[in-house]
Amino acid sequence: MSGFPRGKGYATSLIYSVPRQRPRWRKAAMWLVSIGLIALIAWCSTLYYWISRFEGTPAPGTPIHADVGIVLGATLWNNEPSPGLRERLDHALSLYRSGSFKNFIVTGGLDSNGATLTEAEGMRNYLIAQGVPESNILMDSLSRSTYENLIFAQDIMDRQEWQTAVIVTHDYHGSRAADIAKTVGFNPVQVSVMKSKVLKMSYHETREILAYTKWLATKLFL
């Protein structure tokens, strides 16, 4: 017996020499979190690819002809189109002056930033100031999303007996706009886009990933 150390210290050393095992549920949780992060990165990367590669439909350089041009709304500043919205309107004016369409539908309801005009009203006023006859501009002043922009514009087209449209927006927004247009029945789907020189694209592209995800989830229940 003299070969075995005795005492409280020896017992304590035995207790602490036993390796502690991490509970299995923690390992499982860590695996789930890791898989979730990988899936999230893959999803965001896929959406970013769709967003960033969109150049319009039909392809750039293909002549576009339609009964009407639909300009998708964006915010007003002091009741006038913001710099980003002016880019959309100026691109639509370029198509209008080249003969792509003769009529406008401008879309967008009242902003929550203190504006007293709807986005559609601000856009109409801008187009009139650029020489477009007021009779050639119809407004959707109720919509609050791209989906509503397009279904309310469709209602206006039906009342006017217009069959075809070209949708005007920025390139980062074009892929989602095209998918919504296809879903709600635009045929053909024509989306003309421009790159922004004034918007902070890192913000808008990140926001668009979230908006695209929301739209795809919404589409499942339509």
Side-chain angles (χ1 to χ4, degrees), residues 100-140:
S100 293
F101 55 83
K102 296 181 179 180
N103 303 286
F104 288 85
I105 296 175
V106 289
T107 67
L110 192 65
D111 288 335
S112 59
N113 61 356
T116 58
L117 297 179
T118 64
E119 292 175 359
E121 289 172 324
M123 295 160 76
R124 176 203 58 191
N125 294 347
Y126 182 86
L127 292 173
I128 291 172
Q130 301 302 314
V132 179
E134 185 172 1
S135 59
N136 288 50
I137 308 169
L138 283 81
M139 295 189 297
D140 146 44

Side-chain angles (χ1 to χ4, degrees), residues 147-213:
Y147 174 70
E148 289 185 350
N149 288 164
L150 293 178
I151 60 173
F152 292 171
Q154 263 189 330
D155 291 340
I156 295 172
M157 289 177 63
D158 290 342
R159 292 196 296 271
Q160 297 295 320
E161 297 184 347
W162 292 334
Q163 301 297 316
T164 57
V166 54
I167 299 161
V168 177
T169 190
H170 283 97
D171 57 350
Y172 73 86
H173 186 214
S175 179
R176 178 163 59 98
D179 192 61
I180 294 172
K182 180 179 179 180
T183 300
V184 301
F186 279 80
N187 186 24
V189 173
Q190 299 186 110
V191 181
S192 185
V193 298
M194 83 296 308
K195 293 185 179 297
S196 178
K197 297 179 180 179
V198 300
L199 297 177
K200 185 177 181 180
M201 294 311 299
S202 59
Y203 167 78
H204 286 280
E205 288 176 340
T206 300
R207 185 174 180 273
E208 184 62 17
I209 289 171
L210 299 175
Y212 215 139
T213 300

